Amino acid sequence: MTTPFFQHMPIVKPYALMDLDDTLFQTLRKIEQWQLLKQLPNKNLTIASVNKQGEPLSFFSQKQANFFNWLSQSCELIPVTARDSNEIKRVKLPFDSWQILTHGAILLEPNGRRNPIWQQQMFEKLTPLQNDLTLLQNVLEQHSQTHDLGLVFSLHNDNFVDGNCYQNLKIYLAIKHRQKDEKILQDIAYNLANILKDNLPNFNQNFYIHVNANNLAILPNAIHKRHAVAFLLKQLDNNRPYFGFGDSLADLLFLQQLDWYGTPNHGQLHDKICQICHD
């Protein structure tokens, strides 16, 4: 049945699939870098996340806080984040729907349970790559020490279901520069295949690289926000609108699966769009 013209209907909440860091909130360093408070009359900041010691780490501007307040009350808000199951606990925001964590490796249901089907799929994909992930870290740590690059490494891991048992598996390798020299990370990413050629000649068949500011992540091909979002959309009500926001080029691949998407007026994706427009 159709009607010839639009008529007001009861409001149906859309799904909002949202990247978190640098999309909804950011550190003080990024606030200054992006001049987010420059033209705002109210320069008060609201704490969005804390560090491991419980100290304030990331913040909303007043405009961002208003945006999140609207999102959380008007939409079913679904975080889609690189944060893992421990890091998400340091985000002090009310999430009560699905959550996509660790670049898509973890999918939490609204009740907080890990989706068993997705868990099993990730277990099967990650198990064959455990030795390669350890080798990746060892080779790159040695390279950093040899060339005095000042890199900091963290191998993210989590528990995955194997039948009726849980097994702790490595997921991906994260690298930061201690002094936040982003060029060094970009050089590492550009030369990674050459650095690994003697140890992991099949690197490109099993892994990909994500670089954004002072974050370099080396991830298995099976671990990506877009894969988890594609799986999740099949679980959701297709009659409800999907929209979302993200700041990185990697986010674009999950955003393109939604009905509408956008990006803040700062960050990697925004800069790339501006570059294309200017060219």
Side-chain angles (χ1 to χ4, degrees):
M1 179 179 177
T2 60
T3 54
F5 300 104
F6 174 79
Q7 297 179 4
H8 284 290
M9 302 172 289
I11 292 177
V12 175
K13 280 189 174 184
Y15 297 105
L17 284 75
M18 308 295 299
D19 175 56
L20 300 180
D21 294 86
D22 297 340
T23 296
L24 289 177
F25 51 77
Q26 58 286 306
T27 61
L28 288 175
R29 184 174 71 90
K30 293 289 184 66
I31 288 174
E32 294 175 0
Q33 178 182 335
W34 293 326
Q35 300 181 334
L36 295 182
L37 302 181
K38 187 175 182 181
Q39 296 179 343
L40 294 178
N42 188 338
K43 293 180 168 49
N44 292 334
L45 296 175
T46 301
I47 299 169
S49 77
V50 297
N51 61 18
K52 293 179 180 179
Q53 290 73 43
E55 302 163 334
L57 178 64
S58 300
F59 302 85
F60 291 118
S61 68
Q62 186 60 57
K63 184 176 287 188
Q64 288 173 324
N66 289 338
F67 180 51
F68 179 80
N69 184 58
W70 170 74
L71 278 173
S72 61
Q73 296 191 57
S74 305
C75 307
E76 184 168 340
L77 184 61
I78 300 175
V80 183
T81 178
R83 286 178 176 259
D84 62 30
S85 55
N86 290 316
E87 293 166 335
I88 194 66
K89 295 174 184 176
R90 299 199 287 273
V91 177
K92 301 306 180 181
L93 299 175
F95 297 133
D96 56 10
S97 182
W98 297 79
Q99 297 182 49
I100 293 175
L101 310 177
T102 323
H103 287 281
I106 303 297
L107 178 61
L108 298 184
E109 297 176 350
N111 59 12
R113 185 184 74 149
R114 297 176 182 225
N115 181 269
I117 298 174
W118 191 247
Q119 278 273 286
Q120 185 63 40
Q121 289 185 25
M122 292 298 97
F123 176 86
E124 293 170 0
K125 298 289 187 180
L126 287 169
T127 300
L129 300 175
Q130 294 302 288
N131 291 337
D132 285 351
L133 283 163
T134 301
L135 184 59
L136 263 174
Q137 181 174 10
N138 292 340
V139 171
L140 291 176
E141 283 184 341
Q142 182 60 50
H143 180 80
S144 176
Q145 292 171 7
T146 300
H147 297 278
D148 194 23
L149 298 180
L151 301 180
V152 179
F153 297 84
S154 56
L155 196 55
H156 288 253
N157 61 310
D158 213 314
N159 293 324
F160 291 85
V161 66
D162 178 21
N164 294 322
C165 301
Y166 279 87
Q167 185 170 336
N168 191 268
L169 296 178
K170 306 175 190 72
I171 302 174
Y172 77 97
L173 179 63
I175 308 173
K176 293 178 180 288
H177 188 264
R178 191 172 284 107
Q179 303 302 323
K180 298 180 173 57
D181 189 333
E182 297 173 12
K183 185 179 183 306
I184 289 179
L185 291 184
Q186 292 167 357
D187 290 343
I188 287 289
Y190 183 79
N191 294 301
L192 192 57
N194 187 53
I195 296 170
L196 299 171
K197 65 181 180 180
D198 294 330
N199 303 97
L200 283 171
N202 295 326
F203 172 81
N204 290 329
Q205 295 178 20
N206 296 317
F207 296 93
Y208 70 97
I209 305 166
H210 169 56
V211 186
N212 188 7
N214 191 40
N215 297 288
L216 189 158
I218 304 174
L219 303 108
N221 290 332
I223 306 301
H224 201 292
K225 292 178 180 180
R226 66 186 172 104
H227 300 318
V229 167
F231 177 86
L232 176 58
L233 292 182
K234 295 176 183 178
Q235 323 304 315
L236 303 181
D237 182 353
N238 192 45
N239 290 316
R240 293 169 61 180
Y242 309 135
F243 78 95
F245 287 82
D247 73 290
S248 75
L249 292 173
D251 288 333
L252 183 59
L253 295 177
F254 93 76
L255 293 172
Q256 288 174 325
Q257 300 176 70
L258 309 179
D259 299 313
W260 296 270
Y261 63 87
T263 189
N265 65 350
H266 52 258
Q268 188 183 51
L269 182 53
H270 171 75
D271 291 346
K272 186 64 175 180
I273 293 171
C274 290
Q275 178 186 340
I276 292 172
C277 291
H278 290 156
D279 290 345

